[in-house]
Amino acid sequence: MRPDDANIAGNVHGGTILKMIEEAGAIISTRHCNSQSGEHCVAALARVERTDFLSPMCIGEVAHVSAEITYTSKHSVEVQVNVLSENILTGAKRVTNRATLWYVPLSLKNVDKVLEVPPIQYAWKELEEEGKKRYEEQKLERLVTKQRNGDLIFPVFNPDRQNKEPYTVGYSQSSLIHLVGPSDCTLHGFVHGGVTMKLMDEVAGIVAARHCKTNIVTASVDAINFHEKLQKGCVITISGRMTFTSNKSMEIEVFVDADPFVDEPKERYRAVSAFFTYVSLSKEGKPLPVPQLVVETEDEKRRFEDGKGRYLQTKAKRQVQMQPLTQQ
């Protein structure tokens, strides 16, 4: 990890870690999907499950990214990725991230054609049953997310921002416009999922920093859903807005909308959506209280309550996971 991987707090940028995670997942799933004779394909990212940033990674440390396929359905692959950081002076290692990603194999001859996935062998029948349960759950959650995708985030320009009250949704709301170039894409002209996630993390970080006016770091990423492919030559707008604050964290909703201009121009469409959670830090890296979000409209109140529900649900899951540790 080098200085150009750092955020303003001096740790490795969360988007850089997300990009590494996606690259590892893409490699192993593409290898697996081409392991049998037949039509060649490339694995495209469809969804990233909740990803927690367990520990910050520092500049000068070595990142170890390992990936394993844990479930296959007829048309999708589940990949588990672990990230370790190593201090090369002392040899000490620690886990910084764990993530679950879902990929689908797309034909190289026709990228709109989804191919079948070679099945994997499970050590125990229970592993297959647990994987199938996870598959059905993420499939249902993707449908719920699509229903919410009619929402729009309209850009707020600086003259308008000056008229907004601090700590309101409109005050911190931010957008980034990016022209998709060859360096953003695979050999087949579609944007790497990791590139998209890094841009989303940057926008979410800007929203969090505008709200707190302090150093901020990514604490977790809720499920990222990739609804449509992004092609080389299109203009993408990454927009973020604050939806919920607790005493110590902020939830930011991020959308990626695409305007295709090259080849076949068509209407703007929603390509990706996700929720990011950030925490506020002092200059010494200690957690700070988060200023409470001021909600003004009925839609903002609804989104706040929805975010509170997700926050409480995550908190309850974490407490359940901690119970076996405290009982040991």
Side-chain angles (χ1 to χ4, degrees), residues 38-52:
E39 197 171 340
H40 288 304
C41 63
V42 61
L45 184 62
R47 176 179 167 90
V48 181
E49 300 292 355
R50 180 180 174 85
T51 303
D52 289 305

Side-chain angles (χ1 to χ4, degrees), residues 32-82:
H32 176 75
C33 293
N34 288 284
S35 60
Q36 295 182 357
S37 59
E39 197 171 340
H40 288 304
C41 63
V42 61
L45 184 62
R47 176 179 167 90
V48 181
E49 300 292 355
R50 180 180 174 85
T51 303
D52 289 305
F53 287 71
L54 306 172
S55 175
M57 189 178 293
C58 302
I59 300 307
E61 292 183 326
V62 174
H64 296 255
V65 186
S66 59
E68 178 188 8
I69 293 175
T70 48
Y71 180 75
T72 55
S73 69
K74 186 176 181 181
H75 296 294
S76 62
V77 181
E78 181 192 52
V79 180
Q80 303 274 0
V81 179
N82 289 320

Side-chain angles (χ1 to χ4, degrees), residues 32-33 69-78 102-105 114-120 122 128 131-132 135-136 138-139:
H32 176 75
C33 293
I69 293 175
T70 48
Y71 180 75
T72 55
S73 69
K74 186 176 181 181
H75 296 294
S76 62
V77 181
E78 181 192 52
W102 293 88
Y103 289 84
V104 293
V114 179
L115 302 180
E116 291 191 12
V117 176
I120 62 171
Y122 301 92
E128 183 177 9
K132 186 174 182 180
Y135 168 74
E136 295 296 339
Q138 65 88 25
K139 195 174 177 182

Side-chain angles (χ1 to χ4, degrees), residues 133-303:
K133 183 180 178 182
R134 293 192 300 272
Y135 168 74
E136 295 296 339
E137 286 175 350
Q138 65 88 25
K139 195 174 177 182
L140 182 61
E141 286 182 15
R142 280 177 63 80
L143 289 174
V144 173
T145 306
K146 279 189 176 181
Q147 292 172 0
R148 197 173 58 238
N149 265 350
D151 283 2
L152 296 174
I153 302 180
F154 295 102
V156 174
F157 300 101
N158 280 332
D160 297 327
R161 195 182 308 281
Q162 293 171 1
N163 298 325
K164 302 285 185 183
E165 290 294 324
Y167 311 128
T168 59
V169 175
Y171 184 81
S172 59
Q173 185 177 305
S174 304
S175 297
L176 183 155
I177 298 174
H178 179 75
L179 173 63
V180 175
S183 62
D184 299 319
C185 299
T186 65
L187 295 173
H188 311 97
F190 293 99
V191 179
H192 285 286
V195 170
T196 307
M197 290 193 291
K198 187 173 182 181
L199 291 169
M200 294 173 77
D201 185 64
E202 287 179 2
V203 169
I206 292 169
V207 173
R210 274 183 167 150
H211 182 78
C212 291
K213 295 183 173 60
T214 62
N215 287 336
I216 45 85
V217 293
T218 314
S220 65
V221 183
D222 211 348
I224 303 177
N225 291 291
F226 290 76
H227 310 290
E228 299 284 346
K229 296 186 289 295
L230 292 167
Q231 275 188 295
K232 180 175 67 178
C234 70
V235 173
I236 57 176
T237 303
I238 306 99
S239 305
R241 64 185 171 199
M242 191 82 64
T243 50
F244 170 75
T245 54
S246 68
N247 291 331
K248 296 181 180 179
S249 65
M250 302 159 272
E251 182 191 71
I252 296 135
E253 185 174 27
V254 182
F255 292 145
V256 179
D257 294 318
D259 289 298
F261 293 131
V262 180
D263 297 332
E264 297 180 11
K266 59 180 181 180
E267 292 183 359
R268 170 180 285 213
Y269 62 91
R270 175 67 40 81
V272 193
S273 58
F275 289 99
F276 287 71
T277 300
Y278 275 75
V279 293
S280 174
L281 298 178
S282 67
K283 292 181 180 179
E284 294 75 33
K286 303 294 183 183
L288 291 174
V290 172
Q292 290 305 289
L293 181 66
V294 177
V295 291
E296 299 173 302
T297 69
E298 290 302 316
D299 282 343
E300 290 173 1
K301 292 175 184 177
R302 173 182 54 80
R303 288 195 293 268

Side-chain angles (χ1 to χ4, degrees), residues 103-135:
Y103 289 84
V104 293
L106 303 180
S107 167
L108 292 183
K109 296 179 180 177
N110 177 8
V111 291
D112 292 320
K113 179 183 178 183
V114 179
L115 302 180
E116 291 191 12
V117 176
I120 62 171
Q121 298 298 317
Y122 301 92
W124 299 282
K125 182 68 176 175
E126 291 78 10
L127 293 177
E128 183 177 9
E129 292 171 354
E130 289 171 3
K132 186 174 182 180
K133 183 180 178 182
R134 293 192 300 272
Y135 168 74

